[in-house]
Amino acid sequence: MSLELTILGLLSWNPQSGYDLKKSFSAVEFIPWSGNNNQIYRTLLRLHSEGLVDSQITQPESGPAKKIYTLTEKGYTSLKAQLLGAPELEQVKNTFLIQLAFAEILETRLILQLLEDYCTQITERKVLLTEEFRRAEGYPGRSERETLIWTRITDRRLESLDNEKKWAESLMEELKETFHE
Amino acid sequence: MSLELTILGLLSWNPQSGYDLKKSFSAVEFIPWSGNNNQIYRTLLRLHSEGLVDSQITQPESGPAKKIYTLTEKGYTSLKAQLLGAPELEQVKNTFLIQLAFAEILETRLILQLLEDYCTQITERKVLLTEEFRRAEGYPGRSERETLIWTRITDRRLESLDNEKKWAESLMEELKETFHE
DNA sequence: CCACCCATGTAAAGAGTTACATGATTAC
DNA sequence: GTAATCATGTAACTCTTTACATGGGTGG
């Protein structure tokens, strides 16, 4: 379960509460979970029972009390071990491809419309991502090496979207040329 | 749930049993489910109770009896509606990116090793995929349009893997140049 | 006072996987 | 006869999401 890895990783940057983690989850695009309460709070309780994190309730000057989690020695060791685990290939779930794959019973103009809609989705997503990445750019306290890695990761996400859009567009062209009208 | 769409789609090609569907699931790479018994048989029973499929037990000349499912009129209509549903963007779950993202606590040589391993994984996957796609190439009874779409989909899968590998390799180069030794 | 954000948690349900149970047929 | 494959299904579990419950603080 790499949700655990993500939590340990975020805590290795700085101690924070479940609520903070939740925000981090939804702020980092390539974290593939919604960052819902249930999973985060329950995982934190489990990690605490396993001794990978410590928690301390603090009362900020204003606002409600927070339960701040920190990595323990054991948690740090576990994080390192998980970071060194064998890399897995990405899993892609693209239900649009399935729509396309069985679209033989649709007229060509409808398939073209689907591809068009798909491109629109990609464009909208790119705008959101670009904005998110721009905000994260000036993240303070990162080493040069870490900055390089994060930049390359975010670049790659945008590049993937571009490639997907180009692919859809070229498929549209081919369909139009050969099967339209 | 687009597992339903996949089953309806496969049945629109030809009537088949749960066992056949299971094989189809694992044979088509971009179907993102394992094709486990539980999901397929239970979905078939549900689709039957909803009147989207009919089933008929047949006794082949040799081998055990099969429960062959066919699309009903209602099932065909539902398939068409689902094919026309708004396209969704692909969801990518790449836990390796998360490993990389929090790898700041590792030495550069270890990060390079991870990237190397990732590339190896990609290469292995590409060999498998190429073989799978080669086998599927001569699928009979496909229209020219359908063949085009399937070819483009499979091409795109291989292209994505290539891009991912190129990305990892160029990141390795950058890390080596700037941070190694 | 009401709506919204901060903050921690739980309930219920859906989605997906692995493993199990059963039985017939085929291949060695 | 025994191992593998064909074939249908169930059990148990994990993972993930949406929604709910609770309570304090802040801004209009």
Side-chain angles (χ1 to χ4, degrees), chain B residues 17-19 37-38 41 64-67 69 93:
Chain B
S17 69
Y19 195 81
N37 288 359
N38 202 325
Y41 284 107
K66 301 177 72 157
K67 205 166 165 185
Y69 286 91
K93 179 176 286 186

Short mmCIF file of all heavy atoms in Angstrom, two decimals, chain B residues 17-19 37-38 41 64-67 69 93, chain D residues 5-13 15-17:
data_model
loop_
_atom_site.label_atom_id
_atom_site.label_comp_id
_atom_site.label_asym_id
_atom_site.label_seq_id
_atom_site.Cartn_x
_atom_site.Cartn_y
_atom_site.Cartn_z
N SER B 17 -19.34 -17.02 -22.90
CA SER B 17 -19.55 -17.38 -21.50
C SER B 17 -18.67 -16.52 -20.60
O SER B 17 -17.80 -15.78 -21.07
CB SER B 17 -19.16 -18.84 -21.30
OG SER B 17 -17.77 -18.99 -21.44
N GLY B 18 -18.91 -16.60 -19.31
CA GLY B 18 -18.09 -15.89 -18.34
C GLY B 18 -16.63 -16.28 -18.46
O GLY B 18 -15.74 -15.44 -18.38
N TYR B 19 -16.42 -17.54 -18.69
CA TYR B 19 -15.06 -18.04 -18.82
C TYR B 19 -14.36 -17.42 -20.03
O TYR B 19 -13.19 -17.02 -19.96
CB TYR B 19 -15.08 -19.56 -18.96
CG TYR B 19 -13.75 -20.22 -18.75
CD1 TYR B 19 -13.27 -20.47 -17.47
CD2 TYR B 19 -12.97 -20.61 -19.83
CE1 TYR B 19 -12.05 -21.08 -17.27
CE2 TYR B 19 -11.74 -21.21 -19.64
CZ TYR B 19 -11.29 -21.45 -18.35
OH TYR B 19 -10.07 -22.05 -18.17
N ASN B 37 -12.62 -13.85 -11.55
CA ASN B 37 -13.92 -14.53 -11.57
C ASN B 37 -15.02 -13.74 -10.90
O ASN B 37 -16.09 -13.56 -11.45
CB ASN B 37 -13.81 -15.85 -10.83
CG ASN B 37 -13.01 -16.85 -11.61
OD1 ASN B 37 -12.57 -16.54 -12.71
ND2 ASN B 37 -12.83 -18.03 -11.06
N ASN B 38 -14.71 -13.32 -9.69
CA ASN B 38 -15.73 -12.73 -8.85
C ASN B 38 -16.48 -11.61 -9.57
O ASN B 38 -17.70 -11.62 -9.66
CB ASN B 38 -15.08 -12.18 -7.58
CG ASN B 38 -16.07 -12.05 -6.45
OD1 ASN B 38 -17.23 -11.74 -6.68
ND2 ASN B 38 -15.65 -12.32 -5.24
N TYR B 41 -18.41 -12.93 -13.06
CA TYR B 41 -19.62 -13.76 -12.88
C TYR B 41 -20.72 -12.98 -12.15
O TYR B 41 -21.90 -13.09 -12.50
CB TYR B 41 -19.26 -15.04 -12.13
CG TYR B 41 -18.56 -16.05 -13.00
CD1 TYR B 41 -17.21 -16.30 -12.85
CD2 TYR B 41 -19.26 -16.74 -13.99
CE1 TYR B 41 -16.56 -17.23 -13.67
CE2 TYR B 41 -18.61 -17.67 -14.80
CZ TYR B 41 -17.27 -17.91 -14.63
OH TYR B 41 -16.63 -18.82 -15.43
N PRO B 64 -17.19 -29.46 -20.47
CA PRO B 64 -18.33 -29.19 -19.58
C PRO B 64 -19.30 -28.18 -20.19
O PRO B 64 -18.96 -27.48 -21.15
CB PRO B 64 -17.65 -28.61 -18.34
CG PRO B 64 -16.35 -28.06 -18.81
CD PRO B 64 -15.94 -28.90 -19.98
N ALA B 65 -20.48 -28.11 -19.61
CA ALA B 65 -21.52 -27.22 -20.11
C ALA B 65 -21.09 -25.77 -19.94
O ALA B 65 -20.36 -25.42 -19.01
CB ALA B 65 -22.82 -27.46 -19.37
N LYS B 66 -21.54 -24.91 -20.86
CA LYS B 66 -21.21 -23.49 -20.78
C LYS B 66 -22.50 -22.68 -20.71
O LYS B 66 -23.52 -23.06 -21.28
CB LYS B 66 -20.42 -23.05 -22.02
CG LYS B 66 -19.13 -23.81 -22.22
CD LYS B 66 -18.42 -23.39 -23.50
CE LYS B 66 -17.81 -22.02 -23.36
NZ LYS B 66 -16.69 -21.82 -24.32
N LYS B 67 -22.41 -21.56 -20.03
CA LYS B 67 -23.54 -20.64 -19.94
C LYS B 67 -23.23 -19.47 -20.86
O LYS B 67 -22.42 -18.60 -20.51
CB LYS B 67 -23.68 -20.16 -18.49
CG LYS B 67 -25.06 -19.73 -18.08
CD LYS B 67 -25.09 -19.62 -16.56
CE LYS B 67 -26.29 -18.87 -16.04
NZ LYS B 67 -26.17 -18.71 -14.58
N TYR B 69 -23.79 -16.12 -22.79
CA TYR B 69 -24.56 -14.88 -22.63
C TYR B 69 -24.65 -14.15 -23.97
O TYR B 69 -23.69 -14.09 -24.73
CB TYR B 69 -23.87 -13.97 -21.62
CG TYR B 69 -24.04 -14.43 -20.18
CD1 TYR B 69 -23.11 -15.28 -19.60
CD2 TYR B 69 -25.13 -14.03 -19.42
CE1 TYR B 69 -23.26 -15.72 -18.29
CE2 TYR B 69 -25.29 -14.46 -18.11
CZ TYR B 69 -24.35 -15.30 -17.55
OH TYR B 69 -24.51 -15.73 -16.26
N LYS B 93 -1.93 5.75 -12.08
CA LYS B 93 -1.40 5.50 -10.75
C LYS B 93 0.04 5.03 -10.89
O LYS B 93 0.32 3.89 -11.22
CB LYS B 93 -2.24 4.45 -10.02
CG LYS B 93 -1.71 4.16 -8.63
CD LYS B 93 -2.60 3.19 -7.88
CE LYS B 93 -3.88 3.85 -7.41
NZ LYS B 93 -4.70 2.97 -6.56
P DT D 5 -2.47 -25.92 -17.85
OP1 DT D 5 -1.58 -25.40 -18.90
OP2 DT D 5 -2.54 -25.27 -16.52
"O5'" DT D 5 -3.96 -25.98 -18.43
"C5'" DT D 5 -4.24 -26.83 -19.54
"C4'" DT D 5 -5.74 -26.91 -19.71
"O4'" DT D 5 -6.31 -27.75 -18.68
"C3'" DT D 5 -6.46 -25.56 -19.60
"O3'" DT D 5 -7.24 -25.36 -20.77
"C2'" DT D 5 -7.31 -25.69 -18.35
"C1'" DT D 5 -7.56 -27.20 -18.32
N1 DT D 5 -7.96 -27.75 -17.00
C2 DT D 5 -9.09 -28.56 -16.93
O2 DT D 5 -9.77 -28.84 -17.90
N3 DT D 5 -9.39 -29.00 -15.67
C4 DT D 5 -8.71 -28.74 -14.49
O4 DT D 5 -9.10 -29.22 -13.43
C5 DT D 5 -7.55 -27.90 -14.64
C7 DT D 5 -6.74 -27.54 -13.42
C6 DT D 5 -7.23 -27.44 -15.87
P DC D 6 -8.29 -24.18 -20.92
OP1 DC D 6 -8.37 -23.82 -22.35
OP2 DC D 6 -7.98 -23.15 -19.89
"O5'" DC D 6 -9.66 -24.89 -20.50
"C5'" DC D 6 -10.22 -25.88 -21.36
"C4'" DC D 6 -11.65 -26.16 -20.90
"O4'" DC D 6 -11.59 -26.70 -19.55
"C3'" DC D 6 -12.53 -24.92 -20.83
"O3'" DC D 6 -13.80 -25.21 -21.42
"C2'" DC D 6 -12.64 -24.62 -19.34
"C1'" DC D 6 -12.51 -26.01 -18.72
N1 DC D 6 -11.95 -26.02 -17.34
C2 DC D 6 -12.63 -26.69 -16.32
O2 DC D 6 -13.70 -27.26 -16.58
N3 DC D 6 -12.12 -26.68 -15.06
C4 DC D 6 -10.96 -26.06 -14.82
N4 DC D 6 -10.49 -26.08 -13.56
C5 DC D 6 -10.25 -25.39 -15.84
C6 DC D 6 -10.77 -25.39 -17.08
P DA D 7 -14.80 -24.07 -21.79
OP1 DA D 7 -15.83 -24.65 -22.68
OP2 DA D 7 -14.02 -22.91 -22.26
"O5'" DA D 7 -15.45 -23.69 -20.38
"C5'" DA D 7 -16.48 -24.54 -19.86
"C4'" DA D 7 -16.84 -24.14 -18.46
"O4'" DA D 7 -15.82 -24.54 -17.52
"C3'" DA D 7 -17.02 -22.66 -18.17
"O3'" DA D 7 -18.37 -22.29 -18.41
"C2'" DA D 7 -16.66 -22.54 -16.67
"C1'" DA D 7 -16.17 -23.93 -16.31
N9 DA D 7 -15.03 -23.93 -15.40
C8 DA D 7 -13.75 -23.48 -15.64
N7 DA D 7 -12.95 -23.58 -14.60
C5 DA D 7 -13.75 -24.11 -13.61
C6 DA D 7 -13.50 -24.47 -12.27
N6 DA D 7 -12.31 -24.30 -11.67
N1 DA D 7 -14.53 -24.98 -11.55
C2 DA D 7 -15.72 -25.13 -12.15
N3 DA D 7 -16.07 -24.86 -13.40
C4 DA D 7 -15.04 -24.34 -14.09
P DT D 8 -18.94 -20.86 -17.93
OP1 DT D 8 -20.21 -20.69 -18.65
OP2 DT D 8 -17.86 -19.86 -18.03
"O5'" DT D 8 -19.28 -21.08 -16.39
"C5'" DT D 8 -20.24 -22.07 -16.03
"C4'" DT D 8 -20.47 -22.04 -14.53
"O4'" DT D 8 -19.24 -22.40 -13.87
"C3'" DT D 8 -20.84 -20.66 -13.98
"O3'" DT D 8 -22.10 -20.74 -13.33
"C2'" DT D 8 -19.71 -20.31 -13.00
"C1'" DT D 8 -19.15 -21.68 -12.68
N1 DT D 8 -17.72 -21.63 -12.24
C2 DT D 8 -17.37 -22.09 -10.99
O2 DT D 8 -18.17 -22.55 -10.21
N3 DT D 8 -16.04 -21.97 -10.68
C4 DT D 8 -15.05 -21.47 -11.48
O4 DT D 8 -13.89 -21.42 -11.10
C5 DT D 8 -15.46 -21.01 -12.77
C7 DT D 8 -14.46 -20.45 -13.73
C6 DT D 8 -16.76 -21.11 -13.10
P DG D 9 -22.88 -19.40 -12.95
OP1 DG D 9 -24.29 -19.75 -12.67
OP2 DG D 9 -22.57 -18.36 -13.94
"O5'" DG D 9 -22.16 -19.01 -11.58
"C5'" DG D 9 -22.61 -19.73 -10.44
"C4'" DG D 9 -21.57 -19.76 -9.38
"O4'" DG D 9 -20.23 -19.85 -9.86
"C3'" DG D 9 -21.52 -18.53 -8.49
"O3'" DG D 9 -22.53 -18.61 -7.49
"C2'" DG D 9 -20.14 -18.61 -7.89
"C1'" DG D 9 -19.46 -19.72 -8.69
N9 DG D 9 -18.07 -19.39 -8.98
C8 DG D 9 -17.56 -18.84 -10.12
N7 DG D 9 -16.26 -18.66 -10.08
C5 DG D 9 -15.90 -19.09 -8.80
C6 DG D 9 -14.63 -19.14 -8.16
O6 DG D 9 -13.55 -18.78 -8.61
N1 DG D 9 -14.73 -19.66 -6.89
C2 DG D 9 -15.89 -20.08 -6.28
N2 DG D 9 -15.78 -20.54 -5.03
N3 DG D 9 -17.08 -20.06 -6.87
C4 DG D 9 -17.01 -19.55 -8.12
P DT D 10 -22.63 -17.48 -6.38
OP1 DT D 10 -23.94 -17.64 -5.75
OP2 DT D 10 -22.22 -16.21 -7.00
"O5'" DT D 10 -21.49 -17.87 -5.32
"C5'" DT D 10 -21.52 -19.14 -4.70
"C4'" DT D 10 -20.53 -19.12 -3.54
"O4'" DT D 10 -19.19 -18.99 -4.08
"C3'" DT D 10 -20.72 -17.96 -2.56
"O3'" DT D 10 -20.58 -18.50 -1.26
"C2'" DT D 10 -19.61 -16.98 -2.93
"C1'" DT D 10 -18.52 -17.91 -3.44
N1 DT D 10 -17.58 -17.35 -4.45
C2 DT D 10 -16.24 -17.36 -4.19
O2 DT D 10 -15.76 -17.80 -3.16
N3 DT D 10 -15.45 -16.85 -5.19
C4 DT D 10 -15.85 -16.34 -6.40
O4 DT D 10 -15.05 -15.91 -7.21
C5 DT D 10 -17.29 -16.34 -6.62
C7 DT D 10 -17.84 -15.80 -7.90
C6 DT D 10 -18.08 -16.85 -5.65
P DA D 11 -20.76 -17.59 0.03
OP1 DA D 11 -21.39 -18.43 1.07
OP2 DA D 11 -21.39 -16.31 -0.38
"O5'" DA D 11 -19.25 -17.29 0.45
"C5'" DA D 11 -18.27 -18.32 0.36
"C4'" DA D 11 -17.05 -17.95 1.19
"O4'" DA D 11 -16.01 -17.41 0.32
"C3'" DA D 11 -17.28 -16.88 2.24
"O3'" DA D 11 -16.43 -17.18 3.34
"C2'" DA D 11 -16.91 -15.58 1.52
"C1'" DA D 11 -15.76 -16.04 0.63
N9 DA D 11 -15.66 -15.34 -0.65
C8 DA D 11 -16.67 -14.96 -1.49
N7 DA D 11 -16.27 -14.37 -2.60
C5 DA D 11 -14.89 -14.37 -2.48
C6 DA D 11 -13.87 -13.89 -3.33
N6 DA D 11 -14.11 -13.30 -4.50
N1 DA D 11 -12.59 -14.04 -2.92
C2 DA D 11 -12.36 -14.65 -1.74
N3 DA D 11 -13.23 -15.14 -0.86
C4 DA D 11 -14.50 -14.96 -1.30
P DA D 12 -16.44 -16.25 4.64
OP1 DA D 12 -16.26 -17.16 5.79
OP2 DA D 12 -17.60 -15.33 4.59
"O5'" DA D 12 -15.11 -15.40 4.45
"C5'" DA D 12 -13.93 -16.05 3.99
"C4'" DA D 12 -12.83 -15.01 3.82
"O4'" DA D 12 -12.91 -14.42 2.50
"C3'" DA D 12 -12.92 -13.85 4.82
"O3'" DA D 12 -11.62 -13.61 5.31
"C2'" DA D 12 -13.45 -12.69 3.97
"C1'" DA D 12 -12.84 -13.02 2.62
N9 DA D 12 -13.54 -12.45 1.47
C8 DA D 12 -14.89 -12.26 1.32
N7 DA D 12 -15.23 -11.73 0.17
C5 DA D 12 -14.01 -11.55 -0.48
C6 DA D 12 -13.68 -11.05 -1.75
N6 DA D 12 -14.59 -10.59 -2.61
N1 DA D 12 -12.38 -11.01 -2.09
C2 DA D 12 -11.47 -11.46 -1.21
N3 DA D 12 -11.66 -11.98 -0.01
C4 DA D 12 -12.97 -11.99 0.31
P DC D 13 -11.36 -12.47 6.41
OP1 DC D 13 -10.47 -13.08 7.41
OP2 DC D 13 -12.66 -11.87 6.80
"O5'" DC D 13 -10.54 -11.38 5.61
"C5'" DC D 13 -9.52 -11.81 4.69
"C4'" DC D 13 -9.21 -10.69 3.72
"O4'" DC D 13 -10.29 -10.55 2.77
"C3'" DC D 13 -9.07 -9.31 4.37
"O3'" DC D 13 -7.71 -8.93 4.30
"C2'" DC D 13 -9.96 -8.39 3.52
"C1'" DC D 13 -10.23 -9.23 2.28
N1 DC D 13 -11.51 -8.89 1.58
C2 DC D 13 -11.46 -8.44 0.26
O2 DC D 13 -10.35 -8.33 -0.28
N3 DC D 13 -12.61 -8.12 -0.38
C4 DC D 13 -13.78 -8.26 0.25
N4 DC D 13 -14.88 -7.94 -0.43
C5 DC D 13 -13.86 -8.72 1.60
C6 DC D 13 -12.71 -9.02 2.23
P DC D 15 -4.48 -2.73 1.10
OP1 DC D 15 -3.08 -2.99 0.73
OP2 DC D 15 -4.82 -2.21 2.44
"O5'" DC D 15 -5.12 -1.76 0.02
"C5'" DC D 15 -5.56 -2.28 -1.21
"C4'" DC D 15 -6.57 -1.33 -1.83
"O4'" DC D 15 -7.91 -1.65 -1.37
"C3'" DC D 15 -6.38 0.17 -1.53
"O3'" DC D 15 -6.32 0.80 -2.80
"C2'" DC D 15 -7.61 0.55 -0.72
"C1'" DC D 15 -8.64 -0.45 -1.25
N1 DC D 15 -9.83 -0.77 -0.41
C2 DC D 15 -11.10 -0.66 -0.99
O2 DC D 15 -11.20 -0.29 -2.16
N3 DC D 15 -12.19 -0.98 -0.25
C4 DC D 15 -12.05 -1.40 1.01
N4 DC D 15 -13.16 -1.70 1.68
C5 DC D 15 -10.77 -1.52 1.62
C6 DC D 15 -9.69 -1.19 0.88
P DT D 16 -5.91 2.34 -2.98
OP1 DT D 16 -5.31 2.53 -4.31
OP2 DT D 16 -5.17 2.74 -1.76
"O5'" DT D 16 -7.32 3.06 -2.99
"C5'" DT D 16 -8.24 2.78 -4.05
"C4'" DT D 16 -9.54 3.50 -3.79
"O4'" DT D 16 -10.31 2.80 -2.80
"C3'" DT D 16 -9.41 4.93 -3.27
"O3'" DT D 16 -9.76 5.82 -4.32
"C2'" DT D 16 -10.36 5.00 -2.07
"C1'" DT D 16 -11.18 3.74 -2.22
N1 DT D 16 -11.67 3.14 -0.95
C2 DT D 16 -13.03 2.90 -0.81
O2 DT D 16 -13.84 3.17 -1.68
N3 DT D 16 -13.41 2.34 0.39
C4 DT D 16 -12.57 2.00 1.44
O4 DT D 16 -13.03 1.51 2.45
C5 DT D 16 -11.17 2.27 1.23
C7 DT D 16 -10.19 1.95 2.32
C6 DT D 16 -10.79 2.82 0.06
P DT D 17 -9.89 7.42 -4.08
OP1 DT D 17 -9.50 8.09 -5.34
OP2 DT D 17 -9.23 7.79 -2.82
"O5'" DT D 17 -11.47 7.58 -3.90
"C5'" DT D 17 -12.35 6.80 -4.71
"C4'" DT D 17 -13.79 7.04 -4.30
"O4'" DT D 17 -14.13 6.20 -3.17
"C3'" DT D 17 -14.12 8.47 -3.88
"O3'" DT D 17 -15.16 8.99 -4.68
"C2'" DT D 17 -14.53 8.36 -2.41
"C1'" DT D 17 -14.95 6.91 -2.28
N1 DT D 17 -14.67 6.36 -0.91
C2 DT D 17 -15.70 5.76 -0.21
O2 DT D 17 -16.83 5.66 -0.63
N3 DT D 17 -15.32 5.28 1.02
C4 DT D 17 -14.06 5.35 1.60
O4 DT D 17 -13.86 4.89 2.71
C5 DT D 17 -13.06 6.00 0.80
C7 DT D 17 -11.67 6.12 1.35
C6 DT D 17 -13.40 6.47 -0.40
#
